[in-house]
Amino acid sequence: KAGVTQTPRYLIKTRGQQVTLSCSPISGHRSVSWYQQTPGQGLQFLFEYFSETQRNKGNFPGRFSGRQFSNSRSEMNVSTLELGDSALYLCASSTSGTSVLDEQFFGPGTRLTVL
Amino acid sequence: AQKVTQAQTEISVVEKEDVTLDCVYETRDTTYYLFWYKQPPSGELVFLIRRNSFDEQNEISGRYSWNFQKSTSSFNFTITASQVVDSAVYFCALSPNSGGSNYKLTFGKGTLLTVNP
């Protein structure tokens, strides 16, 4: 069974640009969550999607957005990039995110560097 | 608001030593989940355990054991007879059991464990 895949693995952008990151969950998983990991703030929850709907949202500005497609693949977009957006962006998937038997699996992450 | 505190930023031990990673949490939710994840140098978070707030039984899985004490809001993780392969950053996390999802995780800052041969 293939794991969570994230593309691209590495990305370099400049301030003011926008970026789109992609996440393909494990087959059969319908819940996809996104997290940002930085040395200063640690791991922070961005948002979660389930059945193409945003179900939960963290405390990030509107420059951070996401969406989920009918095949459960998800994308997150960051507009008007700032230096502080440099981070490892992790995607995680689970079957439904609501069952006590659910386990959340993380992808390898996308390392975004903003110059 | 939820908060997870991992007071130990870095721990260094010699192989075969036992080591305990501390985790203290704060939440106003009556039901919640606690987690431990391992992040090896490759960067991918690996799930270790999930504990429901109603279940205060300690758990042992091989060399790993977890001590959940609701009275002190702690969920500590012990590795017995540590090995070099245990070297990683370990994260404790908390999630409310509400809002239609079990996975709105609040993470601690992590503890870097280095096991020296």
Side-chain angles (χ1 to χ4, degrees):
Chain A
K1 197 176 190 181
V4 179
T5 58
Q6 292 186 245
T7 57
R9 292 292 311 278
Y10 302 90
L11 205 49
I12 299 175
K13 291 285 187 179
T14 55
R15 276 186 302 173
Q17 286 187 310
Q18 76 163 21
V19 67
T20 298
L21 312 182
S22 180
C23 171
S24 292
I26 291 172
S27 178
H29 285 193
R30 295 167 63 194
S31 167
V32 174
S33 299
W34 289 89
Y35 295 85
Q36 181 197 63
Q37 185 175 22
T38 61
Q41 298 299 317
L43 274 157
Q44 293 183 285
F45 173 79
L46 279 156
F47 29 63
E48 183 219 2
Y49 285 86
F50 179 78
S51 291
E52 302 179 64
T53 302
Q54 188 180 84
R55 187 161 62 177
N56 278 297
K57 190 177 188 303
N59 297 321
F60 277 80
R63 300 186 298 106
F64 292 82
S65 63
R67 59 177 175 168
Q68 186 180 35
F69 302 94
S70 58
N71 62 357
S72 294
R73 188 178 71 85
S74 177
E75 288 181 349
M76 68 161 282
N77 184 278
V78 188
S79 63
T80 319
L81 283 166
E82 300 176 0
L83 294 179
D85 297 333
S86 294
L88 179 66
Y89 289 88
L90 292 165
C91 166
S93 76
S94 64
T95 306
S96 68
T98 56
S99 166
V100 294
L101 300 178
D102 235 349
E103 182 180 326
Q104 189 176 56
F105 295 86
F106 281 81
T110 293
R111 173 75 63 184
L112 172 65
T113 302
V114 182
L115 303 175
Chain B
Q2 299 188 111
K3 186 178 179 182
V4 176
T5 302
Q6 293 180 254
Q8 305 148 309
T9 305
E10 294 186 38
I11 299 177
S12 182
V13 299
V14 177
E15 208 170 15
K16 296 185 183 176
E17 281 186 24
D18 298 347
V19 58
T20 295
L21 309 182
D22 298 332
C23 173
V24 174
Y25 64 92
E26 296 175 30
T27 181
R28 294 179 184 171
D29 294 304
T30 54
T31 60
Y32 49 89
Y33 287 103
L34 292 163
F35 303 78
W36 275 96
Y37 286 88
K38 173 182 179 180
Q39 187 175 42
S42 60
E44 194 165 330
L45 280 170
V46 177
F47 169 88
L48 294 177
I49 189 172
R50 172 185 54 234
R51 174 63 69 210
N52 187 301
S53 55
F54 288 124
D55 184 1
E56 289 194 64
Q57 277 193 325
N58 292 330
E59 181 156 339
I60 297 175
S61 176
R63 296 185 297 108
Y64 296 168
S65 63
W66 291 269
N67 183 303
F68 176 29
Q69 294 199 345
K70 212 168 178 178
S71 60
T72 55
S73 297
S74 66
F75 186 44
N76 297 336
F77 173 33
T78 297
I79 301 175
T80 303
S82 60
Q83 299 175 3
V84 174
V85 293
D86 295 327
S87 296
V89 181
Y90 290 85
F91 291 95
C92 179
L94 168 69
S95 182
N97 186 11
S98 63
S101 173
N102 298 335
Y103 285 112
K104 185 178 179 180
L105 299 174
T106 297
F107 284 88
K109 293 292 190 183
T111 297
L112 172 61
L113 172 65
T114 302
V115 181
N116 299 297

